[in-house]
Amino acid sequence: MSDTEPPESAASSLRTPIVAVLGHVDHGKTSLLDKVRGSAVIEGEAGAITQHIGATAVPLDVISGIAGDLVDPDDFDLPGLLFIDTPGHHSFTTLRSRGGALADIAILVVDVNDGFQPQTEEAIEILAQSQTPFIVAANKVDTVPGWNAEENAPIQKSLERQSDRVRGDVDEKLYEIIGQLSDKGFSADMYWRVQDFQNNVGVVPVSAMTGEGVPDLLTVMMGLSQRYMKEEMAIDVSGPGVGTVLEVKEEKGFGSTIDVVLYDGVVEEDDTIVVGSSGDPIVTDVRALLKPRPLAEIRTESRFEKVDRLKAASGIKIAAPDLDRAMSGAPVRVVRDREIDEVVEEVQAELADIAVDAEEQ
Ligand code: GDP
């Protein structure tokens, strides 16, 4: 068993929800992801957050450390959150799993000063169509004139620190966003007033610059997943792996590789896999499973280290013959004890679904 694998207790049969970040250009998607990673690094002991290929895992204990009083870790049994590192709806729409979005949950980032912009509207349509639950991060609250910042504070505590005028200005901007959500058919409110997140969108005021509201954002995402997605997160921990190709890359020393987000089951070295391509699906054997080597260890060595096996949810690079024909967004399935033909048919059917979805968008 590799060091990336927690023991397979009952709790670890619940996988990490996959989170995507969407929103208009320059509204702060990248900064917000960086802040979440940065806060997690400060909070956790070294190695507590794990950098995956194309994704970052933030475990529950790190989230509860960042969230402080907002989270009681005993209330949760999901292992944390897996953030897809590439923000934006292009990656969101190309990353599909069986009949839906690869991401289980999304953060829609909206600049409080700019409100809804064309790409915000597009993102919201995509979220609605794929029925992906989301929350709105009303970003850049620190830019409201007169804002008195307190690094990484929970947002309600920060709001209490502001003058009446600043608070009034922030409220006005937030209510404008809530109005815009309602114009799109979503009933929304400040997250602390939302009781039923299944039918209402929670708005979390944040600053990707000062970290204010980041504790709240993580708490709400965790709460939402725990409450409404626990059943979907129950996976067969030893079942054959299922994932989606993020990217196809030539990698020195490894030949053709695919970066994959695994959302179900397990993949092991030497497993036979079936991968979608523009032609017939590729049937090949896993030569190496690679994850990023911790930064501190990268000198002359490879950027990657090998692992024997990996379970969902995770981001992994797979090296195998013939992968140069693989297609980003296509399904990957481990064959394990089944007939290869059966798995090839499944992959073909999934590819056909994806093609139909792409035409509809
Ligand atoms: P993206 O295009 O959505 O990924 O946006 P970026 O994360 O690249 O942010 C665009 C610009 O806004 C950058 O110059 C950021 O530094 C700035 N920015 C992002 N979030 C905040 C914030 O909360 N407060 C302030 N003051 N600036 C921010």
mmCIF file of all heavy atoms in Angstrom, residues 310-359:
data_model
loop_
_atom_site.group_PDB
_atom_site.id
_atom_site.type_symbol
_atom_site.label_atom_id
_atom_site.label_comp_id
_atom_site.label_asym_id
_atom_site.label_seq_id
_atom_site.Cartn_x
_atom_site.Cartn_y
_atom_site.Cartn_z
ATOM 1 N N LEU A 310 -4.024 3.411 -6.509
ATOM 2 C CA LEU A 310 -4.613 4.669 -6.079
ATOM 3 C C LEU A 310 -6.121 4.520 -6.107
ATOM 4 O O LEU A 310 -6.670 3.875 -6.997
ATOM 5 C CB LEU A 310 -4.196 5.769 -7.054
ATOM 6 C CG LEU A 310 -4.277 7.153 -6.446
ATOM 7 C CD1 LEU A 310 -2.995 7.443 -5.681
ATOM 8 C CD2 LEU A 310 -4.502 8.185 -7.523
ATOM 9 N N LYS A 311 -6.778 5.130 -5.141
ATOM 10 C CA LYS A 311 -8.239 5.013 -5.146
ATOM 11 C C LYS A 311 -8.905 6.375 -5.295
ATOM 12 O O LYS A 311 -8.278 7.411 -5.062
ATOM 13 C CB LYS A 311 -8.704 4.278 -3.896
ATOM 14 C CG LYS A 311 -8.573 5.053 -2.632
ATOM 15 C CD LYS A 311 -9.317 4.322 -1.536
ATOM 16 C CE LYS A 311 -9.706 5.307 -0.484
ATOM 17 N NZ LYS A 311 -9.331 5.057 0.845
ATOM 18 N N ALA A 312 -10.175 6.355 -5.683
ATOM 19 C CA ALA A 312 -10.931 7.594 -5.897
ATOM 20 C C ALA A 312 -11.210 8.264 -4.538
ATOM 21 O O ALA A 312 -11.264 7.570 -3.531
ATOM 22 C CB ALA A 312 -12.262 7.266 -6.586
ATOM 23 N N ALA A 313 -11.402 9.580 -4.550
ATOM 24 C CA ALA A 313 -11.226 10.467 -5.694
ATOM 25 C C ALA A 313 -9.798 10.978 -5.707
ATOM 26 O O ALA A 313 -9.300 11.378 -4.679
ATOM 27 C CB ALA A 313 -12.184 11.646 -5.578
ATOM 28 N N SER A 314 -9.176 10.983 -6.886
ATOM 29 C CA SER A 314 -7.824 11.486 -6.948
ATOM 30 C C SER A 314 -7.444 11.858 -8.370
ATOM 31 O O SER A 314 -8.106 11.460 -9.323
ATOM 32 C CB SER A 314 -6.858 10.444 -6.384
ATOM 33 O OG SER A 314 -7.076 9.219 -6.997
ATOM 34 N N GLY A 315 -6.367 12.632 -8.470
ATOM 35 C CA GLY A 315 -5.835 12.988 -9.779
ATOM 36 C C GLY A 315 -4.537 12.231 -9.971
ATOM 37 O O GLY A 315 -3.679 12.241 -9.097
ATOM 38 N N ILE A 316 -4.391 11.538 -11.097
ATOM 39 C CA ILE A 316 -3.223 10.673 -11.299
ATOM 40 C C ILE A 316 -2.767 10.742 -12.751
ATOM 41 O O ILE A 316 -3.584 10.954 -13.650
ATOM 42 C CB ILE A 316 -3.569 9.205 -10.901
ATOM 43 C CG1 ILE A 316 -2.354 8.282 -10.950
ATOM 44 C CG2 ILE A 316 -4.692 8.632 -11.768
ATOM 45 C CD1 ILE A 316 -1.459 8.394 -9.772
ATOM 46 N N LYS A 317 -1.465 10.578 -12.959
ATOM 47 C CA LYS A 317 -0.941 10.462 -14.318
ATOM 48 C C LYS A 317 -0.710 8.979 -14.596
ATOM 49 O O LYS A 317 -0.098 8.286 -13.782
ATOM 50 C CB LYS A 317 0.368 11.244 -14.441
ATOM 51 C CG LYS A 317 0.931 11.254 -15.855
ATOM 52 C CD LYS A 317 2.267 11.984 -15.935
ATOM 53 C CE LYS A 317 2.130 13.482 -16.028
ATOM 54 N NZ LYS A 317 1.443 13.940 -17.260
ATOM 55 N N ILE A 318 -1.237 8.522 -15.735
ATOM 56 C CA ILE A 318 -1.069 7.118 -16.117
ATOM 57 C C ILE A 318 -0.168 7.047 -17.347
ATOM 58 O O ILE A 318 -0.451 7.711 -18.355
ATOM 59 C CB ILE A 318 -2.429 6.454 -16.437
ATOM 60 C CG1 ILE A 318 -3.329 6.463 -15.186
ATOM 61 C CG2 ILE A 318 -2.241 5.017 -16.955
ATOM 62 C CD1 ILE A 318 -4.719 5.870 -15.413
ATOM 63 N N ALA A 319 0.915 6.269 -17.233
ATOM 64 C CA ALA A 319 1.776 6.033 -18.392
ATOM 65 C C ALA A 319 1.468 4.635 -18.909
ATOM 66 O O ALA A 319 1.415 3.681 -18.135
ATOM 67 C CB ALA A 319 3.245 6.141 -17.988
ATOM 68 N N ALA A 320 1.229 4.542 -20.220
ATOM 69 C CA ALA A 320 0.926 3.250 -20.853
ATOM 70 C C ALA A 320 1.133 3.385 -22.347
ATOM 71 O O ALA A 320 1.059 4.493 -22.892
ATOM 72 C CB ALA A 320 -0.518 2.845 -20.554
ATOM 73 N N PRO A 321 1.386 2.259 -23.036
ATOM 74 C CA PRO A 321 1.548 2.333 -24.487
ATOM 75 C C PRO A 321 0.261 2.819 -25.167
ATOM 76 O O PRO A 321 -0.835 2.601 -24.615
ATOM 77 C CB PRO A 321 1.842 0.882 -24.884
ATOM 78 C CG PRO A 321 2.255 0.199 -23.625
ATOM 79 C CD PRO A 321 1.606 0.913 -22.502
ATOM 80 N N ASP A 322 0.408 3.456 -26.311
ATOM 81 C CA ASP A 322 -0.715 3.836 -27.197
ATOM 82 C C ASP A 322 -1.610 4.960 -26.690
ATOM 83 O O ASP A 322 -2.685 5.196 -27.254
ATOM 84 C CB ASP A 322 -1.621 2.630 -27.512
ATOM 85 C CG ASP A 322 -0.843 1.508 -28.172
ATOM 86 O OD1 ASP A 322 0.094 1.840 -28.939
ATOM 87 O OD2 ASP A 322 -1.139 0.329 -27.903
ATOM 88 N N LEU A 323 -1.192 5.647 -25.629
ATOM 89 C CA LEU A 323 -2.092 6.669 -25.083
ATOM 90 C C LEU A 323 -2.107 7.960 -25.894
ATOM 91 O O LEU A 323 -2.921 8.848 -25.641
ATOM 92 C CB LEU A 323 -1.736 6.974 -23.625
ATOM 93 C CG LEU A 323 -2.126 5.886 -22.631
ATOM 94 C CD1 LEU A 323 -1.690 6.281 -21.230
ATOM 95 C CD2 LEU A 323 -3.640 5.645 -22.656
ATOM 96 N N ASP A 324 -1.205 8.078 -26.878
ATOM 97 C CA ASP A 324 -1.173 9.323 -27.661
ATOM 98 C C ASP A 324 -2.487 9.555 -28.411
ATOM 99 O O ASP A 324 -2.823 10.683 -28.750
ATOM 100 C CB ASP A 324 0.029 9.326 -28.618
ATOM 101 C CG ASP A 324 0.143 8.023 -29.387
ATOM 102 O OD1 ASP A 324 -0.196 6.977 -28.800
ATOM 103 O OD2 ASP A 324 0.537 8.045 -30.567
ATOM 104 N N ARG A 325 -3.256 8.494 -28.623
ATOM 105 C CA ARG A 325 -4.545 8.665 -29.320
ATOM 106 C C ARG A 325 -5.686 9.037 -28.363
ATOM 107 O O ARG A 325 -6.808 9.266 -28.790
ATOM 108 C CB ARG A 325 -4.929 7.346 -30.020
ATOM 109 C CG ARG A 325 -4.141 7.040 -31.266
ATOM 110 C CD ARG A 325 -4.882 6.032 -32.144
ATOM 111 N NE ARG A 325 -5.082 4.729 -31.493
ATOM 112 C CZ ARG A 325 -6.265 4.225 -31.163
ATOM 113 N NH1 ARG A 325 -7.374 4.892 -31.412
ATOM 114 N NH2 ARG A 325 -6.358 3.030 -30.588
ATOM 115 N N ALA A 326 -5.402 9.074 -27.058
ATOM 116 C CA ALA A 326 -6.467 9.357 -26.077
ATOM 117 C C ALA A 326 -6.963 10.793 -26.245
ATOM 118 O O ALA A 326 -6.287 11.631 -26.847
ATOM 119 C CB ALA A 326 -5.948 9.146 -24.665
ATOM 120 N N MET A 327 -8.148 11.043 -25.711
ATOM 121 C CA MET A 327 -8.804 12.329 -25.955
ATOM 122 C C MET A 327 -9.153 12.949 -24.603
ATOM 123 O O MET A 327 -9.655 12.251 -23.721
ATOM 124 C CB MET A 327 -10.088 12.022 -26.705
ATOM 125 C CG MET A 327 -10.630 13.142 -27.516
ATOM 126 S SD MET A 327 -11.908 12.476 -28.624
ATOM 127 C CE MET A 327 -13.218 12.052 -27.489
ATOM 128 N N SER A 328 -8.889 14.264 -24.447
ATOM 129 C CA SER A 328 -9.237 14.844 -23.156
ATOM 130 C C SER A 328 -10.761 14.898 -23.042
ATOM 131 O O SER A 328 -11.464 15.125 -24.018
ATOM 132 C CB SER A 328 -8.576 16.200 -22.958
ATOM 133 O OG SER A 328 -9.207 17.142 -23.722
ATOM 134 N N GLY A 329 -11.234 14.639 -21.847
ATOM 135 C CA GLY A 329 -12.671 14.563 -21.606
ATOM 136 C C GLY A 329 -13.224 13.151 -21.766
ATOM 137 O O GLY A 329 -14.371 12.884 -21.410
ATOM 138 N N ALA A 330 -12.414 12.233 -22.304
ATOM 139 C CA ALA A 330 -12.904 10.875 -22.561
ATOM 140 C C ALA A 330 -12.852 10.011 -21.295
ATOM 141 O O ALA A 330 -12.088 10.291 -20.380
ATOM 142 C CB ALA A 330 -12.054 10.228 -23.656
ATOM 143 N N PRO A 331 -13.683 8.961 -21.252
ATOM 144 C CA PRO A 331 -13.676 8.070 -20.085
ATOM 145 C C PRO A 331 -12.477 7.116 -20.055
ATOM 146 O O PRO A 331 -11.913 6.792 -21.103
ATOM 147 C CB PRO A 331 -14.970 7.265 -20.247
ATOM 148 C CG PRO A 331 -15.386 7.402 -21.657
ATOM 149 C CD PRO A 331 -14.740 8.625 -22.226
ATOM 150 N N VAL A 332 -12.109 6.707 -18.845
ATOM 151 C CA VAL A 332 -11.087 5.688 -18.615
ATOM 152 C C VAL A 332 -11.702 4.642 -17.699
ATOM 153 O O VAL A 332 -12.307 5.007 -16.685
ATOM 154 C CB VAL A 332 -9.880 6.273 -17.829
ATOM 155 C CG1 VAL A 332 -8.811 5.210 -17.635
ATOM 156 C CG2 VAL A 332 -9.314 7.494 -18.510
ATOM 157 N N ARG A 333 -11.574 3.377 -18.050
ATOM 158 C CA ARG A 333 -12.108 2.318 -17.188
ATOM 159 C C ARG A 333 -11.105 1.191 -17.008
ATOM 160 O O ARG A 333 -10.504 0.737 -17.972
ATOM 161 C CB ARG A 333 -13.401 1.741 -17.778
ATOM 162 C CG ARG A 333 -14.575 2.667 -17.663
ATOM 163 C CD ARG A 333 -15.855 2.060 -18.185
ATOM 164 N NE ARG A 333 -16.962 2.902 -17.770
ATOM 165 C CZ ARG A 333 -17.627 2.757 -16.620
ATOM 166 N NH1 ARG A 333 -17.335 1.764 -15.805
ATOM 167 N NH2 ARG A 333 -18.598 3.583 -16.303
ATOM 168 N N VAL A 334 -10.964 0.745 -15.768
ATOM 169 C CA VAL A 334 -10.134 -0.417 -15.481
ATOM 170 C C VAL A 334 -10.962 -1.662 -15.782
ATOM 171 O O VAL A 334 -12.143 -1.720 -15.455
ATOM 172 C CB VAL A 334 -9.688 -0.403 -14.003
ATOM 173 C CG1 VAL A 334 -9.022 -1.720 -13.619
ATOM 174 C CG2 VAL A 334 -8.731 0.764 -13.746
ATOM 175 N N VAL A 335 -10.327 -2.657 -16.418
ATOM 176 C CA VAL A 335 -11.063 -3.860 -16.825
ATOM 177 C C VAL A 335 -11.237 -4.835 -15.643
ATOM 178 O O VAL A 335 -12.332 -5.331 -15.400
ATOM 179 C CB VAL A 335 -10.360 -4.570 -17.999
ATOM 180 C CG1 VAL A 335 -11.064 -5.876 -18.331
ATOM 181 C CG2 VAL A 335 -10.348 -3.653 -19.233
ATOM 182 N N ARG A 336 -10.132 -5.085 -14.929
ATOM 183 C CA ARG A 336 -10.099 -6.049 -13.803
ATOM 184 C C ARG A 336 -10.699 -7.408 -14.177
ATOM 185 O O ARG A 336 -10.246 -8.014 -15.136
ATOM 186 C CB ARG A 336 -10.798 -5.431 -12.583
ATOM 187 C CG ARG A 336 -10.443 -6.011 -11.228
ATOM 188 C CD ARG A 336 -9.045 -5.668 -10.730
ATOM 189 N NE ARG A 336 -8.601 -4.310 -10.868
ATOM 190 C CZ ARG A 336 -8.873 -3.317 -10.028
ATOM 191 N NH1 ARG A 336 -9.642 -3.524 -8.994
ATOM 192 N NH2 ARG A 336 -8.371 -2.127 -10.218
ATOM 193 N N ASP A 337 -11.777 -7.857 -13.531
ATOM 194 C CA ASP A 337 -12.236 -9.243 -13.766
ATOM 195 C C ASP A 337 -13.254 -9.387 -14.882
ATOM 196 O O ASP A 337 -13.846 -10.443 -15.050
ATOM 197 C CB ASP A 337 -12.886 -9.791 -12.488
ATOM 198 C CG ASP A 337 -11.975 -9.616 -11.313
ATOM 199 O OD1 ASP A 337 -10.750 -9.768 -11.505
ATOM 200 O OD2 ASP A 337 -12.476 -9.317 -10.216
ATOM 201 N N ARG A 338 -13.509 -8.304 -15.619
ATOM 202 C CA ARG A 338 -14.570 -8.403 -16.615
ATOM 203 C C ARG A 338 -14.018 -8.714 -17.999
ATOM 204 O O ARG A 338 -12.821 -8.734 -18.222
ATOM 205 C CB ARG A 338 -15.374 -7.106 -16.629
ATOM 206 C CG ARG A 338 -16.129 -6.930 -15.313
ATOM 207 C CD ARG A 338 -16.849 -5.635 -15.265
ATOM 208 N NE ARG A 338 -15.937 -4.507 -15.429
ATOM 209 C CZ ARG A 338 -16.334 -3.294 -15.782
ATOM 210 N NH1 ARG A 338 -17.607 -3.062 -16.039
ATOM 211 N NH2 ARG A 338 -15.476 -2.309 -15.870
ATOM 212 N N GLU A 339 -14.932 -8.933 -18.938
ATOM 213 C CA GLU A 339 -14.538 -9.148 -20.328
ATOM 214 C C GLU A 339 -14.117 -7.808 -20.919
ATOM 215 O O GLU A 339 -14.818 -6.805 -20.723
ATOM 216 C CB GLU A 339 -15.738 -9.663 -21.141
ATOM 217 C CG GLU A 339 -16.239 -11.026 -20.741
ATOM 218 C CD GLU A 339 -15.220 -12.112 -21.073
ATOM 219 O OE1 GLU A 339 -14.517 -11.964 -22.085
ATOM 220 O OE2 GLU A 339 -15.121 -13.080 -20.298
ATOM 221 N N ILE A 340 -13.017 -7.802 -21.656
ATOM 222 C CA ILE A 340 -12.551 -6.542 -22.259
ATOM 223 C C ILE A 340 -13.631 -5.946 -23.165
ATOM 224 O O ILE A 340 -13.901 -4.747 -23.112
ATOM 225 C CB ILE A 340 -11.232 -6.772 -23.056
ATOM 226 C CG1 ILE A 340 -10.093 -7.048 -22.070
ATOM 227 C CG2 ILE A 340 -10.902 -5.551 -23.916
ATOM 228 C CD1 ILE A 340 -8.732 -7.205 -22.698
ATOM 229 N N ASP A 341 -14.291 -6.795 -23.968
ATOM 230 C CA ASP A 341 -15.291 -6.296 -24.925
ATOM 231 C C ASP A 341 -16.413 -5.530 -24.240
ATOM 232 O O ASP A 341 -16.901 -4.514 -24.743
ATOM 233 C CB ASP A 341 -15.918 -7.463 -25.702
ATOM 234 C CG ASP A 341 -14.930 -8.016 -26.719
ATOM 235 O OD1 ASP A 341 -13.869 -7.365 -26.907
ATOM 236 O OD2 ASP A 341 -15.194 -9.085 -27.295
ATOM 237 N N GLU A 342 -16.803 -6.046 -23.085
ATOM 238 C CA GLU A 342 -17.884 -5.418 -22.322
ATOM 239 C C GLU A 342 -17.476 -3.986 -21.917
ATOM 240 O O GLU A 342 -18.243 -3.035 -22.028
ATOM 241 C CB GLU A 342 -18.081 -6.280 -21.073
ATOM 242 C CG GLU A 342 -19.334 -6.048 -20.271
ATOM 243 C CD GLU A 342 -19.271 -6.917 -19.009
ATOM 244 O OE1 GLU A 342 -18.945 -8.132 -19.126
ATOM 245 O OE2 GLU A 342 -19.492 -6.380 -17.920
ATOM 246 N N VAL A 343 -16.220 -3.859 -21.448
ATOM 247 C CA VAL A 343 -15.738 -2.553 -20.992
ATOM 248 C C VAL A 343 -15.564 -1.613 -22.188
ATOM 249 O O VAL A 343 -15.891 -0.423 -22.113
ATOM 250 C CB VAL A 343 -14.416 -2.709 -20.199
ATOM 251 C CG1 VAL A 343 -13.935 -1.369 -19.681
ATOM 252 C CG2 VAL A 343 -14.603 -3.697 -19.055
ATOM 253 N N VAL A 344 -15.087 -2.157 -23.314
ATOM 254 C CA VAL A 344 -14.935 -1.346 -24.525
ATOM 255 C C VAL A 344 -16.302 -0.775 -24.923
ATOM 256 O O VAL A 344 -16.435 0.401 -25.249
ATOM 257 C CB VAL A 344 -14.321 -2.175 -25.681
ATOM 258 C CG1 VAL A 344 -14.447 -1.443 -27.015
ATOM 259 C CG2 VAL A 344 -12.860 -2.492 -25.397
ATOM 260 N N GLU A 345 -17.332 -1.618 -24.846
ATOM 261 C CA GLU A 345 -18.681 -1.150 -25.193
ATOM 262 C C GLU A 345 -19.148 -0.036 -24.264
ATOM 263 O O GLU A 345 -19.736 0.944 -24.702
ATOM 264 C CB GLU A 345 -19.681 -2.310 -25.132
ATOM 265 C CG GLU A 345 -19.826 -2.991 -26.471
ATOM 266 C CD GLU A 345 -20.616 -4.281 -26.375
ATOM 267 O OE1 GLU A 345 -21.566 -4.345 -25.570
ATOM 268 O OE2 GLU A 345 -20.258 -5.238 -27.091
ATOM 269 N N GLU A 346 -18.860 -0.184 -22.966
ATOM 270 C CA GLU A 346 -19.240 0.862 -21.998
ATOM 271 C C GLU A 346 -18.577 2.189 -22.355
ATOM 272 O O GLU A 346 -19.213 3.237 -22.342
ATOM 273 C CB GLU A 346 -18.772 0.478 -20.591
ATOM 274 C CG GLU A 346 -19.732 -0.433 -19.866
ATOM 275 C CD GLU A 346 -19.164 -0.877 -18.501
ATOM 276 O OE1 GLU A 346 -18.198 -0.247 -18.003
ATOM 277 O OE2 GLU A 346 -19.689 -1.847 -17.973
ATOM 278 N N VAL A 347 -17.283 2.107 -22.665
ATOM 279 C CA VAL A 347 -16.532 3.327 -22.979
ATOM 280 C C VAL A 347 -17.090 3.965 -24.254
ATOM 281 O O VAL A 347 -17.279 5.181 -24.340
ATOM 282 C CB VAL A 347 -15.016 3.023 -23.099
ATOM 283 C CG1 VAL A 347 -14.264 4.174 -23.761
ATOM 284 C CG2 VAL A 347 -14.434 2.733 -21.723
ATOM 285 N N GLN A 348 -17.414 3.110 -25.236
ATOM 286 C CA GLN A 348 -17.986 3.643 -26.485
ATOM 287 C C GLN A 348 -19.322 4.333 -26.228
ATOM 288 O O GLN A 348 -19.582 5.405 -26.755
ATOM 289 C CB GLN A 348 -18.186 2.508 -27.490
ATOM 290 C CG GLN A 348 -17.052 2.477 -28.486
ATOM 291 C CD GLN A 348 -16.994 1.165 -29.249
ATOM 292 O OE1 GLN A 348 -17.534 0.147 -28.799
ATOM 293 N NE2 GLN A 348 -16.327 1.195 -30.387
ATOM 294 N N ALA A 349 -20.140 3.725 -25.381
ATOM 295 C CA ALA A 349 -21.449 4.313 -25.066
ATOM 296 C C ALA A 349 -21.268 5.645 -24.354
ATOM 297 O O ALA A 349 -21.961 6.625 -24.648
ATOM 298 C CB ALA A 349 -22.255 3.349 -24.197
ATOM 299 N N GLU A 350 -20.312 5.701 -23.428
ATOM 300 C CA GLU A 350 -20.073 6.962 -22.715
ATOM 301 C C GLU A 350 -19.591 8.043 -23.662
ATOM 302 O O GLU A 350 -20.000 9.196 -23.571
ATOM 303 C CB GLU A 350 -19.021 6.766 -21.622
ATOM 304 C CG GLU A 350 -19.578 6.134 -20.364
ATOM 305 C CD GLU A 350 -18.480 5.848 -19.359
ATOM 306 O OE1 GLU A 350 -18.031 6.791 -18.708
ATOM 307 O OE2 GLU A 350 -18.066 4.684 -19.248
ATOM 308 N N LEU A 351 -18.705 7.664 -24.589
ATOM 309 C CA LEU A 351 -18.207 8.631 -25.574
ATOM 310 C C LEU A 351 -19.349 9.175 -26.422
ATOM 311 O O LEU A 351 -19.406 10.367 -26.722
ATOM 312 C CB LEU A 351 -17.183 7.966 -26.493
ATOM 313 C CG LEU A 351 -15.736 8.011 -26.038
ATOM 314 C CD1 LEU A 351 -14.877 7.137 -26.926
ATOM 315 C CD2 LEU A 351 -15.204 9.434 -26.029
ATOM 316 N N ALA A 352 -20.278 8.309 -26.785
ATOM 317 C CA ALA A 352 -21.422 8.747 -27.589
ATOM 318 C C ALA A 352 -22.262 9.755 -26.798
ATOM 319 O O ALA A 352 -22.683 10.772 -27.333
ATOM 320 C CB ALA A 352 -22.257 7.538 -28.003
ATOM 321 N N ASP A 353 -22.462 9.495 -25.502
ATOM 322 C CA ASP A 353 -23.203 10.433 -24.633
ATOM 323 C C ASP A 353 -22.536 11.797 -24.601
ATOM 324 O O ASP A 353 -23.171 12.833 -24.681
ATOM 325 C CB ASP A 353 -23.202 9.928 -23.176
ATOM 326 C CG ASP A 353 -24.311 8.924 -22.952
ATOM 327 O OD1 ASP A 353 -25.111 8.734 -23.885
ATOM 328 O OD2 ASP A 353 -24.354 8.338 -21.847
ATOM 329 N N ILE A 354 -21.197 11.759 -24.459
ATOM 330 C CA ILE A 354 -20.449 13.011 -24.370
ATOM 331 C C ILE A 354 -20.596 13.805 -25.664
ATOM 332 O O ILE A 354 -20.794 15.009 -25.652
ATOM 333 C CB ILE A 354 -18.958 12.741 -24.059
ATOM 334 C CG1 ILE A 354 -18.834 12.176 -22.639
ATOM 335 C CG2 ILE A 354 -18.123 14.007 -24.192
ATOM 336 C CD1 ILE A 354 -17.468 11.598 -22.334
ATOM 337 N N ALA A 355 -20.537 13.113 -26.795
ATOM 338 C CA ALA A 355 -20.662 13.783 -28.092
ATOM 339 C C ALA A 355 -22.032 14.442 -28.203
ATOM 340 O O ALA A 355 -22.150 15.579 -28.669
ATOM 341 C CB ALA A 355 -20.441 12.792 -29.216
ATOM 342 N N VAL A 356 -23.087 13.766 -27.735
ATOM 343 C CA VAL A 356 -24.427 14.349 -27.788
ATOM 344 C C VAL A 356 -24.478 15.594 -26.908
ATOM 345 O O VAL A 356 -24.949 16.654 -27.315
ATOM 346 C CB VAL A 356 -25.486 13.314 -27.325
ATOM 347 C CG1 VAL A 356 -26.830 13.985 -27.119
ATOM 348 C CG2 VAL A 356 -25.590 12.193 -28.340
ATOM 349 N N ASP A 357 -23.936 15.486 -25.680
ATOM 350 C CA ASP A 357 -23.907 16.636 -24.779
ATOM 351 C C ASP A 357 -23.210 17.824 -25.421
ATOM 352 O O ASP A 357 -23.657 18.957 -25.345
ATOM 353 C CB ASP A 357 -23.117 16.301 -23.499
ATOM 354 C CG ASP A 357 -23.980 15.491 -22.545
ATOM 355 O OD1 ASP A 357 -25.158 15.316 -22.858
ATOM 356 O OD2 ASP A 357 -23.449 15.038 -21.521
ATOM 357 N N ALA A 358 -22.056 17.547 -26.069
ATOM 358 C CA ALA A 358 -21.261 18.622 -26.651
ATOM 359 C C ALA A 358 -22.052 19.332 -27.738
ATOM 360 O O ALA A 358 -22.004 20.548 -27.879
ATOM 361 C CB ALA A 358 -19.954 18.074 -27.196
ATOM 362 N N GLU A 359 -22.838 18.555 -28.504
ATOM 363 C CA GLU A 359 -23.629 19.174 -29.567
ATOM 364 C C GLU A 359 -24.738 20.048 -29.000
ATOM 365 O O GLU A 359 -25.077 21.077 -29.550
ATOM 366 C CB GLU A 359 -24.248 18.083 -30.444
ATOM 367 C CG GLU A 359 -23.391 17.783 -31.653
ATOM 368 C CD GLU A 359 -23.882 16.568 -32.410
ATOM 369 O OE1 GLU A 359 -25.103 16.333 -32.381
ATOM 370 O OE2 GLU A 359 -23.050 15.882 -33.003
#
